[in-house]
Amino acid sequence: MNLGHCLPEGSGKVSGLWQAAIVLLLTLSLECLFLNRANDFIASKVQEHDAGLRTEASASAVILKETLIRFLDQLDALHGLARLVTAGRQSGDLPMENAAMAELDHWQGNLGGGVRYIGAIAPSGALDWTNLKTAVGRVDLSAREYFRTIADGKADYWVGAPAAGQVSGQIGIHFTKSMRGPGGALLAVTMIDVDPRLLSDLAASAGLTGTDTLTIQRRDGVILARSGASQYIGHVNPPGASHMRAFLSAPSGLIEGTSPIDGTDRVAAWQQIEPGGLILVVALDRIAHGNAIRAAVNRMYRWVGLTAGLIALLGAGAILVLRWQSRFARAEAKADMVRQSELVFREMAESLPDMVRLIDPDGTVRYANDAARTLLGVPPDDLIGQKLNGFVHPGDLATTQAIRMPTMPSATAVRYEVRMVRPDGQTIWTQTSLQALARDAPAPGSSFIVAVTRDMTVQRQTEAALRLAKEELDALLTATRAVLYHARVDPDGGMHPLFVSDSALHLIGYTPAEIVGTPNWFASHFDPAFAAEHRAHLHRVLTEGSSRTKYRLRRKNGAWMWVSMFSRRIAGDGFTIVGTASDVSREHERELQLAQSAKMATLGEVSTGMAHELNQPLTAIGMLAENSLASLREDGSVRQLIGAKLERILDQVRRAAAIIDHMRIFGRRSDAPPAPFSVEAAIDGARTMASNRLQQARIGLTIETAANLPRVTGHTVRLEQVLLNLIANAADAVEDHAPALPNGRRDIVIRAGMADGMVQIAVADQAGGIDETLLPRLFEPFFTTKPVGRGTGLGLSISYGIVADMGGCIAARNEGDGTVVTIWLPPSGAPVTDGAESG
């Protein structure tokens, strides 16, 4: 049967149209499906590019954070050396100051030219010192933010806003740190001036180029450094801005959008850095990084248009081929993105001096940079797939086993320090920081950790050297029986200890904690008899800068000790002093014994004359008594005559008693505190002691004293001893002169008056003078110009010490036909010159 005859005419054409319609509908459906899939593919590739951009920003921020922390650690080491320089200057320890300054210059050199100088600021705000090789005048930094923040107690560590330095004259970032005593008192503020370009150059070391930026700012929004745009240094981001709220809301994270600084569309990753309250921001230029992906997208759209035309011709087969091509292209694009991100990360990691690793949560190494070769002495490829437990010192394995690997991003990295043993047997100290990277869609097994390990051996050795230096200083102070102290002095003379060295326990029995913080501790423990000398000592420190004094101090066990105190004022507006207190009890006892021996020797020299001096009144007494008895026997009416003779007897007895009493006072050992006394009294006492010897030698003594001479502070007998020594030396010179001097040149003259605000006493003779070459040695111990057996060489040396203790000085010179020895003494109540320095 021919069914074709049963169909209506034209049914084949209708069938063909239906087939065409079906093919067209199928083609259009396939084209729509393809276009949707193509758009999804292009959108996914853009999203993958954005995800890679965010990962790159996060990884760069983590690595640069560790680099910045390492730089801050190096600055902290410089602060430690600056503290040693300041401590050496304040204590007068020049060797420690020079050693610390040399080490500081060495460390600064390792940082390159970015650190301009290091110095310290006194509590008053005045610049105390810098390590600049050129001289710096007085600079007042009291109004600077980086000083005021610490001086007002708001922080102990501060990073100042960029400002033009008064010393360098250039824009600098000032890293400051407080230096305080045990009681919390501010001793100094150490300061490091850093060129902002040193921080912004970190961007180049991390591989950031083009319009990508690295910004370092404070939490209050002040920009300290920004790569490639110095005009933004010092710019302040408003605290209420959206990006600032984000930076302060979490320790780390990502933010996208238009930069409020330069208007560029950026992907920014931030990391908070605790030291100094800093925020590090890595901002990648989305437009610059998107140029490559935009070109690829444009190519894809052209390819999609061509493919859509082919679909119209090829139909379902073309759509199927396109589907497989689409899958292949997506896989290839993803592989390209992974390779590009890995290349960027490797370039950044290989430029760093620290060993950078990517590790699994169990510690297995997936990547290591070439710094592993320097740090551990092995090629980085040898670490892949391994753990570092084999390098850890056996004594530190427990530390590594207790480490908990980070699983979430945090501004505070997990840090630990262990010793590592290199294959060559060398042991090094290392510090490792572990931080998990932020990922957009974390999946099980896909997380990884960035580990940054640096060599801490040099820093540990420096810390050990600092500890050893402190121990050696404490041992030195203990061995020399000295205490180092720092104190504040009130306007009324109150002296409040701020710091006392540990040697105080061995010297006086008190611990530093028992002394520091106790108001007027010194005043309550020294002998009250020395209160006036203590006030005079503080007055000299205030007006002259330094002073030395000696007084008695009571130990904790109640015993008295003699202390020599040297004090120096610290530069600044306040009145604070540093100095040493040394136990000189043994030296003081020897000085007293030596002075007593010299007095007894002098007393022995004049004793013969004194015996004659006493014999005369006693002979007269005897004769008068005999005459009185004879008169009574002869005539009982001679009472008036006898009365007159008895009065003469009493006068002679008083004269003898006065001589004996003066000899007793002169020979007595005196340990009383100094007090004001009359110069005339000392001169008169010396005249009394020497008068008989001078009379026997036919030597005259002339005394010329100005009217209204002020009193001086000291001991009358000691000045009398000095004058008696000078009179005896002049008398020896007159007697030893050959041929004998004529009567006109056998006189000794003592003149006392005022000169340049000082009491001046001169003892002069006309016995020919002293050899000019011997004059500089006259006051040396055991030096004498007398023949053997006639002098000990101690008289003038002891006289020099007595005058120096009274705050004066003594000198000898040839004048005319003889020698003049002159003594200068400050009047009571006047500033006293340090005797050791004036001599």
Side-chain angles (χ1 to χ4, degrees):
M1 178 180 294
N2 188 357
L3 296 178
H5 294 285
C6 300
L7 293 176
E9 185 177 355
S11 60
K13 185 181 292 185
V14 173
S15 176
L17 290 175
W18 276 104
Q19 291 176 355
I22 292 171
V23 171
L24 179 61
L25 181 61
L26 179 61
T27 300
L28 292 174
S29 298
L30 291 175
E31 284 184 348
C32 289
L33 178 62
F34 164 73
L35 290 175
N36 287 334
R37 294 293 181 87
N39 285 330
D40 291 342
F41 163 71
I42 293 173
S44 66
K45 189 163 185 179
V46 172
Q47 291 175 356
E48 289 176 359
H49 172 267
D50 289 343
L53 203 59
R54 289 191 289 272
T55 300
E56 179 183 349
S58 297
S60 300
V62 170
I63 293 174
L64 287 172
K65 172 187 175 181
E66 292 302 319
T67 302
L68 182 57
I69 289 176
R70 181 171 180 265
F71 174 72
L72 294 177
D73 289 343
Q74 292 172 324
L75 293 187
D76 194 62
L78 291 178
H79 277 296
L81 292 171
R83 289 166 65 91
L84 276 182
V85 174
T86 304
R89 288 174 61 85
Q90 293 182 353
S91 64
D93 190 339
L94 185 59
M96 182 173 74
E97 177 186 347
N98 291 339
M101 183 70 77
E103 189 68 14
L104 186 146
D105 292 338
H106 172 72
W107 275 67
Q108 179 184 356
N110 292 339
L111 294 177
V115 176
R116 295 194 181 105
Y117 70 90
I118 302 98
I121 309 172
S124 64
L127 182 63
D128 188 14
W129 62 268
T130 71
N131 68 334
L132 291 171
K133 303 307 179 185
T134 58
V136 178
R138 179 175 177 83
V139 178
D140 184 7
L141 303 176
S142 59
R144 290 299 179 117
E145 172 210 32
Y146 52 79
F147 171 77
R148 284 261 60 90
T149 301
I150 292 180
D152 294 342
K154 297 179 182 179
D156 283 325
Y157 179 85
W158 187 251
V159 182
Q166 292 181 243
V167 177
S168 65
Q170 299 176 322
I171 298 296
I173 303 174
H174 298 80
F175 292 78
T176 55
K177 193 171 185 180
S178 68
M179 177 179 175
R180 299 185 182 276
L186 184 65
L187 304 182
V189 176
T190 55
M191 173 182 66
I192 303 175
D193 186 324
V194 176
D195 188 342
R197 291 174 296 183
L198 179 63
L199 299 180
S200 60
D201 288 346
L202 292 175
S205 69
L208 298 181
T209 57
T211 56
D212 296 339
T213 63
L214 164 66
T215 302
I216 300 174
Q217 65 178 62
R218 297 193 317 208
R219 293 179 66 89
D220 58 2
V222 175
I223 294 178
L224 304 178
R226 191 173 191 266
S227 61
S230 60
Q231 69 270 25
Y232 295 113
I233 295 176
H235 176 80
V236 180
N237 287 320
S242 59
H243 65 288
M244 278 300 299
R245 291 199 301 271
F247 294 163
L248 299 174
S249 64
S252 63
L254 287 161
I255 187 171
E256 302 178 41
T258 302
S259 169
I261 297 179
D262 56 13
T264 304
D265 186 13
R266 296 186 182 278
V267 176
W270 78 84
Q271 290 281 342
Q272 294 181 2
I273 300 174
E274 290 302 328
L278 303 181
I279 299 175
L280 181 146
V281 183
V282 174
L284 304 183
D285 188 340
R286 189 196 298 274
I287 296 177
H289 284 267
N291 288 334
I293 190 65
R294 279 195 296 273
V297 168
N298 291 334
R299 289 194 298 271
M300 290 178 189
Y301 276 121
R302 289 195 296 270
W303 180 74
V304 168
L306 293 174
T307 303
L310 291 175
I311 289 175
L313 298 175
L314 299 177
I319 295 174
L320 182 62
V321 172
L322 180 61
R323 180 180 179 186
W324 286 105
Q325 288 179 341
S326 176
R327 289 182 177 179
F328 176 77
R330 182 179 299 178
E332 184 65 22
K334 187 173 183 178
D336 287 342
M337 186 65 68
V338 171
R339 285 193 295 271
Q340 182 181 2
S341 298
E342 181 181 356
L343 180 61
V344 172
F345 178 81
R346 285 178 179 270
E347 289 178 352
M348 288 191 299
E350 295 298 336
S351 66
L352 297 177
D354 297 334
M355 182 174 69
V356 179
R357 292 169 290 142
L358 294 180
I359 60 175
D360 291 337
D362 65 351
T364 302
V365 178
R366 297 303 177 193
Y367 163 77
N369 66 347
D370 195 60
R373 194 186 309 274
T374 303
L375 187 71
L376 296 179
V378 296
D381 291 342
D382 291 355
L383 301 179
I384 305 302
Q386 306 293 327
K387 299 180 180 180
L388 294 190
N389 290 343
F391 293 91
V392 177
H393 191 280
D396 294 340
L397 283 174
T399 301
T400 58
Q401 293 170 357
I403 296 300
R404 296 183 60 183
M405 291 292 184
T407 57
M408 298 295 293
S410 171
T412 303
V414 176
R415 285 190 177 86
Y416 62 91
E417 292 188 12
V418 295
R419 291 167 293 176
M420 288 191 173
V421 182
R422 295 160 49 102
D424 59 5
Q426 180 185 358
T427 299
I428 60 173
W429 275 98
T430 63
Q431 182 188 79
T432 299
S433 301
L434 304 175
Q435 194 158 12
L437 280 183
R439 300 180 69 85
D440 293 327
S446 64
S447 63
F448 59 91
I449 299 168
V450 176
V452 180
T453 302
R454 66 173 57 101
D455 188 348
M456 301 290 290
T457 305
V458 174
Q459 182 172 337
R460 281 300 188 95
Q461 291 173 345
T462 302
E463 292 171 353
L466 293 178
R467 287 194 299 270
L468 180 60
K470 181 181 182 302
E471 293 172 0
E472 290 178 348
L473 177 61
D474 290 338
L476 178 62
L477 290 173
T478 300
T480 56
R481 308 198 314 277
V483 175
L484 183 68
Y485 68 89
H486 176 215
R488 186 185 78 252
V489 180
D490 293 337
D492 60 358
M495 187 172 169
H496 307 283
L498 303 175
F499 165 78
V500 176
S501 63
D502 294 340
S503 55
L505 179 61
H506 303 280
L507 183 68
I508 56 179
Y510 290 94
T511 64
E514 293 177 295
I515 301 176
V516 173
T518 302
N520 281 324
W521 186 93
F522 289 100
S524 61
H525 286 77
F526 66 65
D527 189 340
F530 291 87
E533 170 58 23
H534 179 68
R535 289 192 297 271
H537 170 69
L538 295 181
H539 180 76
R540 291 194 296 271
V541 176
L542 175 63
T543 57
E544 301 177 17
S546 65
S547 174
R548 189 183 303 275
T549 188
K550 185 170 69 174
Y551 56 79
R552 291 205 310 173
L553 186 75
R554 190 181 295 278
R555 289 189 174 95
K556 190 172 185 179
N557 61 7
W560 288 104
M561 61 182 290
W562 281 92
V563 172
S564 174
M565 175 176 284
F566 173 77
S567 303
R568 173 173 292 169
R569 181 178 179 181
I570 298 178
D573 296 332
F575 190 7
T576 57
I577 62 176
V578 293
T580 57
S582 305
D583 181 4
V584 293
S585 299
R586 288 179 288 185
E587 291 82 350
H588 180 76
E589 181 64 25
R590 285 196 294 268
E591 288 175 4
L592 289 178
Q593 292 175 355
L594 190 59
Q596 184 67 15
S597 298
K599 283 203 298 184
M600 297 309 294
T602 303
L603 191 59
E605 291 179 4
V606 300
S607 60
T608 302
M610 282 295 145
H612 179 74
E613 184 74 10
L614 290 175
N615 188 55
Q616 284 182 339
L618 291 177
T619 302
I621 290 171
M623 293 176 62
L624 291 171
E626 291 175 357
N627 291 336
S628 297
L629 290 175
S631 297
L632 287 175
R633 296 191 193 100
E634 294 174 0
D635 187 356
S637 62
V638 293
R639 292 183 179 179
Q640 184 176 0
L641 177 61
I642 293 174
K645 291 184 176 182
L646 290 177
E647 285 295 333
R648 292 179 61 191
I649 290 173
L650 290 176
D651 288 341
Q652 297 299 320
V653 169
R654 293 189 189 101
R655 178 184 175 192
I659 294 174
I660 294 172
D661 191 52
H662 193 82
M663 291 179 65
R664 177 177 55 80
I665 294 174
F666 183 81
R668 182 190 305 155
R669 169 171 164 166
S670 175
D671 201 15
F677 68 91
S678 168
V679 173
E680 293 92 331
I683 296 175
D684 187 62
R687 178 193 58 76
T688 300
M689 297 288 288
S691 61
N692 192 71
R693 181 195 170 181
L694 296 179
Q695 290 174 7
Q696 290 180 349
R698 296 181 297 106
I699 297 174
L701 179 62
T702 302
I703 299 176
E704 301 172 0
T705 306
N708 301 320
L709 272 180
R711 297 161 73 85
V712 297
T713 301
H715 302 82
T716 307
V717 172
R718 293 186 183 177
L719 181 57
E720 183 179 318
Q721 178 182 353
V722 174
L723 295 174
L724 190 57
N725 276 328
L726 299 182
I727 293 172
N729 287 342
D732 288 342
V734 172
E735 289 182 311
D736 293 344
H737 198 283
L741 290 173
N743 291 334
R745 292 178 56 189
R746 296 183 68 85
D747 287 345
I748 299 172
V749 180
I750 300 179
R751 300 184 183 92
M754 294 293 295
D756 298 327
M758 301 283 281
V759 176
Q760 179 178 289
I761 307 170
V763 179
D765 63 57
Q766 301 179 67
I770 301 173
D771 187 341
E772 291 287 344
T773 62
L774 302 180
L775 281 175
R777 302 188 58 195
L778 284 184
F779 299 99
E780 293 181 6
F782 305 108
F783 176 78
T784 179
T785 59
K786 298 178 181 179
V788 176
R790 288 194 55 191
T792 63
L794 292 176
L796 288 179
S797 175
I798 292 173
S799 298
Y800 178 91
I802 291 173
V803 173
D805 284 343
M806 295 176 67
C809 57
I810 182 172
R813 71 181 188 279
N814 289 324
E815 182 179 289
D817 294 329
T819 302
V820 179
V821 181
T822 306
I823 301 169
W824 292 270
L825 295 173
S828 295
V832 181
T833 307
D834 187 343
E837 295 176 358
S838 63

